[in-house]
mmCIF file of all heavy atoms in Angstrom:
data_model
loop_
_atom_site.group_PDB
_atom_site.id
_atom_site.type_symbol
_atom_site.label_atom_id
_atom_site.label_comp_id
_atom_site.label_asym_id
_atom_site.label_seq_id
_atom_site.Cartn_x
_atom_site.Cartn_y
_atom_site.Cartn_z
ATOM 1 N N PHE A 353 -12.897 -11.795 -9.932
ATOM 2 C CA PHE A 353 -13.045 -10.362 -10.189
ATOM 3 C C PHE A 353 -12.067 -9.930 -11.285
ATOM 4 O O PHE A 353 -11.332 -10.748 -11.827
ATOM 5 C CB PHE A 353 -12.825 -9.580 -8.898
ATOM 6 C CG PHE A 353 -13.920 -9.794 -7.892
ATOM 7 C CD1 PHE A 353 -13.871 -10.867 -7.009
ATOM 8 C CD2 PHE A 353 -15.008 -8.952 -7.840
ATOM 9 C CE1 PHE A 353 -14.888 -11.095 -6.103
ATOM 10 C CE2 PHE A 353 -16.032 -9.157 -6.933
ATOM 11 C CZ PHE A 353 -15.976 -10.232 -6.066
ATOM 12 N N MET A 354 -12.073 -8.646 -11.581
ATOM 13 C CA MET A 354 -11.193 -8.102 -12.612
ATOM 14 C C MET A 354 -10.274 -7.031 -12.044
ATOM 15 O O MET A 354 -10.661 -6.286 -11.135
ATOM 16 C CB MET A 354 -12.012 -7.498 -13.765
ATOM 17 C CG MET A 354 -12.689 -8.508 -14.656
ATOM 18 S SD MET A 354 -11.485 -9.446 -15.645
ATOM 19 C CE MET A 354 -12.592 -10.467 -16.620
ATOM 20 N N VAL A 355 -9.062 -6.967 -12.588
ATOM 21 C CA VAL A 355 -8.105 -5.918 -12.247
ATOM 22 C C VAL A 355 -7.523 -5.380 -13.548
ATOM 23 O O VAL A 355 -7.641 -6.006 -14.600
ATOM 24 C CB VAL A 355 -6.959 -6.458 -11.346
ATOM 25 C CG1 VAL A 355 -7.497 -6.936 -10.013
ATOM 26 C CG2 VAL A 355 -6.187 -7.576 -12.052
ATOM 27 N N VAL A 356 -6.900 -4.213 -13.458
ATOM 28 C CA VAL A 356 -6.227 -3.644 -14.625
ATOM 29 C C VAL A 356 -4.856 -4.294 -14.746
ATOM 30 O O VAL A 356 -4.119 -4.405 -13.762
ATOM 31 C CB VAL A 356 -6.086 -2.111 -14.493
ATOM 32 C CG1 VAL A 356 -5.327 -1.545 -15.694
ATOM 33 C CG2 VAL A 356 -7.458 -1.456 -14.389
ATOM 34 N N LYS A 357 -4.517 -4.716 -15.919
ATOM 35 C CA LYS A 357 -3.259 -5.436 -16.157
ATOM 36 C C LYS A 357 -2.053 -4.502 -16.000
ATOM 37 O O LYS A 357 -1.969 -3.459 -16.654
ATOM 38 C CB LYS A 357 -3.275 -6.033 -17.567
ATOM 39 C CG LYS A 357 -2.168 -7.035 -17.845
ATOM 40 C CD LYS A 357 -2.418 -7.728 -19.179
ATOM 41 C CE LYS A 357 -1.398 -8.816 -19.427
ATOM 42 N NZ LYS A 357 -1.680 -9.551 -20.692
ATOM 43 N N LYS A 358 -1.133 -4.892 -15.114
ATOM 44 C CA LYS A 358 0.086 -4.128 -14.869
ATOM 45 C C LYS A 358 1.264 -5.073 -14.741
ATOM 46 O O LYS A 358 1.095 -6.276 -14.504
ATOM 47 C CB LYS A 358 -0.050 -3.321 -13.557
ATOM 48 C CG LYS A 358 -1.192 -2.324 -13.512
ATOM 49 C CD LYS A 358 -1.249 -1.614 -12.162
ATOM 50 C CE LYS A 358 -2.430 -0.685 -12.051
ATOM 51 N NZ LYS A 358 -2.490 0.009 -10.749
ATOM 52 N N ASP A 359 2.468 -4.516 -14.850
ATOM 53 C CA ASP A 359 3.653 -5.336 -14.621
ATOM 54 C C ASP A 359 4.066 -5.223 -13.154
ATOM 55 O O ASP A 359 3.401 -4.575 -12.349
ATOM 56 C CB ASP A 359 4.805 -4.943 -15.565
ATOM 57 C CG ASP A 359 5.285 -3.508 -15.370
ATOM 58 O OD1 ASP A 359 5.010 -2.921 -14.301
ATOM 59 O OD2 ASP A 359 5.938 -2.966 -16.283
ATOM 60 N N SER A 360 5.172 -5.857 -12.808
ATOM 61 C CA SER A 360 5.614 -5.890 -11.411
ATOM 62 C C SER A 360 6.025 -4.514 -10.886
ATOM 63 O O SER A 360 6.135 -4.318 -9.676
ATOM 64 C CB SER A 360 6.787 -6.871 -11.253
ATOM 65 O OG SER A 360 7.856 -6.499 -12.112
ATOM 66 N N GLN A 361 6.252 -3.563 -11.792
ATOM 67 C CA GLN A 361 6.612 -2.208 -11.393
ATOM 68 C C GLN A 361 5.395 -1.287 -11.310
ATOM 69 O O GLN A 361 5.514 -0.113 -10.981
ATOM 70 C CB GLN A 361 7.616 -1.617 -12.412
ATOM 71 C CG GLN A 361 8.883 -2.441 -12.584
ATOM 72 C CD GLN A 361 9.636 -2.617 -11.277
ATOM 73 O OE1 GLN A 361 9.863 -1.643 -10.563
ATOM 74 N NE2 GLN A 361 10.024 -3.847 -10.968
ATOM 75 N N GLY A 362 4.228 -1.832 -11.624
ATOM 76 C CA GLY A 362 3.005 -1.045 -11.567
ATOM 77 C C GLY A 362 2.699 -0.292 -12.850
ATOM 78 O O GLY A 362 1.784 0.533 -12.883
ATOM 79 N N ASP A 363 3.444 -0.569 -13.921
ATOM 80 C CA ASP A 363 3.187 0.090 -15.209
ATOM 81 C C ASP A 363 2.056 -0.637 -15.940
ATOM 82 O O ASP A 363 1.958 -1.872 -15.893
ATOM 83 C CB ASP A 363 4.444 0.085 -16.076
ATOM 84 C CG ASP A 363 5.556 0.940 -15.487
ATOM 85 O OD1 ASP A 363 5.262 2.082 -15.085
ATOM 86 O OD2 ASP A 363 6.704 0.467 -15.418
ATOM 87 N N PHE A 364 1.224 0.125 -16.635
ATOM 88 C CA PHE A 364 0.097 -0.467 -17.348
ATOM 89 C C PHE A 364 0.569 -1.245 -18.570
ATOM 90 O O PHE A 364 1.518 -0.858 -19.261
ATOM 91 C CB PHE A 364 -0.884 0.620 -17.784
ATOM 92 C CG PHE A 364 -1.544 1.327 -16.625
ATOM 93 C CD1 PHE A 364 -1.252 2.655 -16.353
ATOM 94 C CD2 PHE A 364 -2.442 0.659 -15.808
ATOM 95 C CE1 PHE A 364 -1.856 3.313 -15.282
ATOM 96 C CE2 PHE A 364 -3.047 1.304 -14.734
ATOM 97 C CZ PHE A 364 -2.747 2.630 -14.471
ATOM 98 N N LEU A 365 -0.144 -2.339 -18.848
ATOM 99 C CA LEU A 365 0.148 -3.183 -20.005
ATOM 100 C C LEU A 365 -1.087 -3.281 -20.884
ATOM 101 O O LEU A 365 -2.213 -3.188 -20.395
ATOM 102 C CB LEU A 365 0.556 -4.588 -19.557
ATOM 103 C CG LEU A 365 1.705 -4.715 -18.557
ATOM 104 C CD1 LEU A 365 1.857 -6.175 -18.125
ATOM 105 C CD2 LEU A 365 3.012 -4.186 -19.153
ATOM 106 N N ASN A 366 -0.871 -3.494 -22.182
ATOM 107 C CA ASN A 366 -2.012 -3.778 -23.050
ATOM 108 C C ASN A 366 -2.309 -5.278 -22.997
ATOM 109 O O ASN A 366 -1.632 -6.027 -22.275
ATOM 110 C CB ASN A 366 -1.771 -3.289 -24.487
ATOM 111 C CG ASN A 366 -0.575 -3.976 -25.154
ATOM 112 O OD1 ASN A 366 -0.169 -5.081 -24.776
ATOM 113 N ND2 ASN A 366 -0.008 -3.316 -26.149
ATOM 114 N N CYS A 367 -3.289 -5.724 -23.735
ATOM 115 C CA CYS A 367 -3.692 -7.135 -23.658
ATOM 116 C C CYS A 367 -2.646 -8.083 -24.223
ATOM 117 O O CYS A 367 -2.711 -9.295 -23.988
ATOM 118 C CB CYS A 367 -5.030 -7.335 -24.365
ATOM 119 S SG CYS A 367 -6.417 -6.558 -23.486
ATOM 120 N N SER A 368 -1.672 -7.549 -24.943
ATOM 121 C CA SER A 368 -0.574 -8.377 -25.467
ATOM 122 C C SER A 368 0.596 -8.431 -24.494
ATOM 123 O O SER A 368 1.604 -9.070 -24.756
ATOM 124 C CB SER A 368 -0.095 -7.832 -26.824
ATOM 125 O OG SER A 368 -1.140 -7.871 -27.771
ATOM 126 N N GLY A 369 0.463 -7.725 -23.376
ATOM 127 C CA GLY A 369 1.518 -7.720 -22.374
ATOM 128 C C GLY A 369 2.580 -6.664 -22.608
ATOM 129 O O GLY A 369 3.615 -6.670 -21.942
ATOM 130 N N GLU A 370 2.332 -5.750 -23.543
ATOM 131 C CA GLU A 370 3.308 -4.700 -23.839
ATOM 132 C C GLU A 370 3.066 -3.488 -22.943
ATOM 133 O O GLU A 370 1.922 -3.095 -22.684
ATOM 134 C CB GLU A 370 3.192 -4.278 -25.314
ATOM 135 C CG GLU A 370 3.458 -5.429 -26.282
ATOM 136 C CD GLU A 370 3.026 -5.097 -27.694
ATOM 137 O OE1 GLU A 370 2.046 -4.309 -27.831
ATOM 138 O OE2 GLU A 370 3.614 -5.617 -28.647
ATOM 139 N N LYS A 371 4.159 -2.903 -22.472
ATOM 140 C CA LYS A 371 4.078 -1.756 -21.570
ATOM 141 C C LYS A 371 3.534 -0.538 -22.307
ATOM 142 O O LYS A 371 3.919 -0.241 -23.434
ATOM 143 C CB LYS A 371 5.467 -1.451 -21.005
ATOM 144 C CG LYS A 371 5.512 -0.278 -20.045
ATOM 145 C CD LYS A 371 6.925 -0.081 -19.491
ATOM 146 C CE LYS A 371 7.013 1.158 -18.629
ATOM 147 N NZ LYS A 371 8.387 1.341 -18.080
ATOM 148 N N LEU A 372 2.632 0.178 -21.651
ATOM 149 C CA LEU A 372 2.060 1.394 -22.219
ATOM 150 C C LEU A 372 2.787 2.613 -21.660
ATOM 151 O O LEU A 372 3.025 2.699 -20.456
ATOM 152 C CB LEU A 372 0.569 1.495 -21.884
ATOM 153 C CG LEU A 372 -0.336 0.390 -22.456
ATOM 154 C CD1 LEU A 372 -1.742 0.498 -21.871
ATOM 155 C CD2 LEU A 372 -0.395 0.488 -23.970
ATOM 156 N N SER A 373 3.131 3.525 -22.533
ATOM 157 C CA SER A 373 3.798 4.742 -22.089
ATOM 158 C C SER A 373 2.778 5.682 -21.463
ATOM 159 O O SER A 373 1.566 5.548 -21.676
ATOM 160 C CB SER A 373 4.471 5.439 -23.275
ATOM 161 O OG SER A 373 3.495 5.913 -24.190
ATOM 162 N N LYS A 374 3.249 6.650 -20.698
ATOM 163 C CA LYS A 374 2.345 7.627 -20.086
ATOM 164 C C LYS A 374 1.585 8.388 -21.156
ATOM 165 O O LYS A 374 0.425 8.753 -20.966
ATOM 166 C CB LYS A 374 3.151 8.589 -19.214
ATOM 167 C CG LYS A 374 3.713 7.957 -17.945
ATOM 168 C CD LYS A 374 4.421 8.983 -17.089
ATOM 169 C CE LYS A 374 4.938 8.355 -15.797
ATOM 170 N NZ LYS A 374 5.638 9.340 -14.935
#
Side-chain angles (χ1 to χ4, degrees):
F353 291 86
M354 287 291 183
V355 296
V356 178
K357 192 171 185 177
K358 300 179 184 180
D359 62 19
S360 58
Q361 303 302 311
D363 294 313
F364 295 111
L365 306 174
N366 62 23
C367 291
S368 299
E370 300 166 329
K371 180 178 175 179
L372 297 171
S373 66
K374 290 184 178 180

